[in-house]
């Protein structure tokens, strides 16, 4: 059993990060602006950005000249910057912030897993994460939940490096505070609650709660306040108390306990976990019965289950439920699915038997078929009816990326024996 040494993996290779970011960027940015804005949210957010751009008011979003206080400001600011860079408020510029947050989330997922189980599994996890259905769509849509995912990772990654690998506490809490503060300006209190559930739950499960009580934690809280406070303070100074009540209290706490829309039964997420986080959520039952090969992998599996269960329970207690709410569980779903994928790949490695050779040959050719089919759908030479052109290109993109992953996996299994 030859596992990569975790201690040597604390510092990631720049090459891996750059290649991963470029691959995720291709996946999320290709044909990003080719479909129109879809209801219910994209047209509203797009209108708010357009009015802010035209009126020059970057403090208070409006829709049809009425104050729009449903969401904090970070998305609108990033979309405005995107519109300035690309010269217009359109489908492309409006979706760029989400696609960028998706790329950041892929890289952070890689960095999170890396010290626990090494480079091979970290790259596998990042690839599985990017190809989760909900992650793919959230990274290509105008919505706020992708920012919650990115900020949750931004808090959990440095704090778990500190908890499990003795990274400098001051740096870990500073980075966590920065991510939490940005998250608070993107979606409000939930971006501090969710990573809190993960970190506190994991620390409690490993009997290290008291380790979280230290001066650096106060410093992290201060950083979060400094990052998030200016916009809220500016609203207060301008007398926008009604706006503050709506964006902080009504849209968060009151929606949680007394929802006026998206009312669903308590088991709603137990159903959509398997649908919206397919195909890799289907491997979770197998992951539950897969034993860890070493203590570090055991910690990663424990952390992943705490991550998923904690967030599912939290949102199940809310009256208001939508599938994207639990998007922050996606890294943990990918990490657990990667356990099963890794074990399967290792079993296929000694492919000297006839069955092994045939399996490897079929596996590789399946990847080639996927790539060719995907490229055909993406090419201008295949005539597709106008009503399904966007869908055909998205399917083509998905097939091409899946095929490339299959081919890469076959190459890796061949040249990197267990």
């Amino acid at each position: 059993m030859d596992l990569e040494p975790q201690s040597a993996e604390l510092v990631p290779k720049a090459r891996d990060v750059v290649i991963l970011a470029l691959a995720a960027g291709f996946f999320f940015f290709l044909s990003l602006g080719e479909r129109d804005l879809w209801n219910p949210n994209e047209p509203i957010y797009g209108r708010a950005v357009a009015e802010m751009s035209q009126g020059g008011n970057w403090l208070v979003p409006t829709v049809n000249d009425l104050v729009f206080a449903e969401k904090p400001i970070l998305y609108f600011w990033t979309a405005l910057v995107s519109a300035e860079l690309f010269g217009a408020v359109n489908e492309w510029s409006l979706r760029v912030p989400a696609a960028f947050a998706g790329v950041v989330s892929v890289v952070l997922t890689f960095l999170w897993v890396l010290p626990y189980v090494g480079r091979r599994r970290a790259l596998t996890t990042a690839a599985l994460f990017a190809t989760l259905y909900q992650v793919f769509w959230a990274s290509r849509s105008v919505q706020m939940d992708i920012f919650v995912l990115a900020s949750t990772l931004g808090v959990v990654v440095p704090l778990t490096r500190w908890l499990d690998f003795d990274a400098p506490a001051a740096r870990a809490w500073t980075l966590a505070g920065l991510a939490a503060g940005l998250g608070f300006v993107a979606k409000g209190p939930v971006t501090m609650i969710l990573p809190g559930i993960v970190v506190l739950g994991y620390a409690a499960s490993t009997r290290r709660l008291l380790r979280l009580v230290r001066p650096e934690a106060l410093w992290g809280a201060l950083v979060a306040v400094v990052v998030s406070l200016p916009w809220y303070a500016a609203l207060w100074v301008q007398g926008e108390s009604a706006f503050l009540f709506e964006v902080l209290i009504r849209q968060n706490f009151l929606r949680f306990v007394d929802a006026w829309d998206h009312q669903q039964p308590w088991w709603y997420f137990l159903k959509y976990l398997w649908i919206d986080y397919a195909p890799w959520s289907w491997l979770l039952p197998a992951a539950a019965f897969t034993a860890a090969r070493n203590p570090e992998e055991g910690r990663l599996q424990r952390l992943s289950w705490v991550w998923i269960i904690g967030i599912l329970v939290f949102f199940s207690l809310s009256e208001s439920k939508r599938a994207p709410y639990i998007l922050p569980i996606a890294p943990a779903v990918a990490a657990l699915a990667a356990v099963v994928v890794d074990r399967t790949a290792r079993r296929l490695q000694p492919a000297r038997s006839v069955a092994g050779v045939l399996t490897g040959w079929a596996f590789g050719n399946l990847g080639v078929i996927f790539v060719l089919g995907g490229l055909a759908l993406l090419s201008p030479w295949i005539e597709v009816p106008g009503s399904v052109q966007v869908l055909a290109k998205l399917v083509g993109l998905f097939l091409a990326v899946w095929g490339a992953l299959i081919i890469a996996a076959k190459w890796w299994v061949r040249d990197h024996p267990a």
Side-chain angles (χ1 to χ4, degrees):
M1 179 169 59
D2 181 20
L3 294 182
E4 298 177 67
Q6 283 75 40
S7 58
E9 299 288 351
L10 285 172
V11 179
K13 296 178 181 178
R15 179 192 62 186
D16 291 337
V17 173
V18 170
I19 292 175
L20 198 57
L22 290 175
F26 173 80
F27 192 36
F28 295 146
F29 277 89
L30 186 65
S31 302
L32 188 64
E34 291 205 12
R35 65 175 175 85
D36 58 2
L37 300 178
W38 286 358
N39 285 319
N41 294 323
E42 286 193 315
I44 296 175
Y45 297 151
R47 183 61 188 171
V49 173
E51 291 187 15
M52 292 176 77
S53 177
Q54 294 164 5
N57 181 358
W58 284 40
L59 185 64
V60 178
T62 61
V63 173
N64 297 327
D65 295 323
L66 299 175
V67 171
F68 182 69
E70 288 190 12
K71 305 296 179 186
I73 200 66
L74 185 61
Y75 165 74
F76 302 105
W77 281 348
T78 56
L80 285 165
V81 171
S82 174
E84 290 290 329
L85 290 174
F86 297 106
V89 176
N90 54 31
E91 290 84 354
W92 167 270
S93 65
L94 288 170
R95 295 190 182 113
V96 163
F100 181 77
V103 173
V104 170
S105 298
V106 170
V107 173
L108 287 175
T109 298
F110 168 77
L111 296 178
W112 167 52
V113 173
L114 185 65
Y116 290 99
V117 286
R119 176 174 177 266
R120 169 176 168 158
R121 277 275 295 283
L123 289 172
T124 300
T125 304
L128 301 188
F129 169 81
T131 51
L132 287 169
Y133 172 80
Q134 190 64 246
V135 170
F136 176 74
W137 278 108
S139 301
R140 299 176 59 85
S141 305
V142 182
Q143 62 157 300
M144 312 303 173
D145 300 286
I146 190 69
F147 293 98
V148 183
L149 167 60
S151 65
T152 299
L153 277 163
V155 174
V156 172
V157 171
L159 291 186
T160 52
R161 285 290 182 100
W162 163 64
L163 274 172
D164 285 338
F165 301 99
D166 294 320
R171 183 176 66 188
W173 283 100
T174 299
L175 292 173
L178 176 62
L182 289 173
F184 199 83
V185 189
K187 193 69 186 289
V190 71
T191 57
M192 293 191 177
I193 294 171
L194 298 187
I197 290 172
V198 175
V199 174
L200 288 171
Y202 178 57
S205 74
T206 55
R207 300 181 181 179
R208 290 181 290 174
L209 266 178
L210 290 179
R211 194 179 177 197
L212 298 176
V213 182
R214 55 186 301 129
E216 290 86 353
L218 295 176
W219 171 252
L222 178 61
V223 171
V225 169
V226 169
V227 171
S228 62
L229 186 61
W231 177 66
Y232 293 100
L235 290 174
W236 179 263
V237 169
Q238 288 203 3
E240 296 285 352
S241 57
F243 190 109
L244 288 169
F245 177 83
E246 176 71 18
V247 77
L248 287 175
I249 306 301
R250 186 170 182 270
Q251 291 292 332
N252 291 279
F253 301 105
L254 296 184
R255 179 188 286 273
F256 191 92
V257 299
D258 188 18
W260 56 89
D261 60 0
H262 308 304
Q263 294 173 317
Q264 300 291 345
W266 67 268
W267 44 262
Y268 175 82
F269 292 118
L270 297 180
K271 172 184 176 181
Y272 281 92
L273 167 66
W274 312 105
I275 298 172
D276 287 308
Y277 298 88
W280 306 118
S281 58
W282 303 340
L283 298 182
L284 290 180
F289 293 97
T290 303
R293 294 162 67 100
N294 57 39
E296 286 79 14
E297 186 178 58
R299 288 181 176 183
L300 178 64
Q301 289 180 231
R302 177 191 292 264
L303 173 55
S304 298
W305 285 116
V306 168
W307 194 324
I308 293 172
I309 294 170
I311 291 178
L312 283 178
V313 169
F314 173 76
F315 280 116
S316 295
L317 294 174
S318 171
E319 289 193 4
S320 179
K321 298 179 181 70
R322 292 179 63 240
Y325 286 178
I326 60 169
L327 184 60
I329 71 171
V333 171
L336 290 171
V339 176
V340 181
V341 172
D342 178 72
R343 294 295 193 278
T344 304
R346 289 179 183 277
R347 292 191 187 99
L348 290 174
Q349 280 178 338
R352 294 188 175 88
S353 65
V354 173
V357 171
L358 290 176
T359 300
W361 180 84
F363 193 61
N365 279 280
L366 179 65
V368 172
I369 292 170
F370 275 19
V371 169
L372 293 177
L375 293 178
L377 288 173
L378 290 169
S379 72
W381 299 287
I382 301 294
E383 292 188 9
V384 178
S387 59
V388 294
Q389 277 186 354
V390 173
L391 179 61
K393 288 190 175 182
L394 289 174
V395 171
L397 172 61
F398 208 77
L399 286 174
V401 172
W402 263 99
L405 287 174
I406 290 172
I407 294 169
K410 183 178 184 301
W411 170 84
W412 184 277
V413 168
R414 185 195 67 187
D415 293 349
H416 294 76

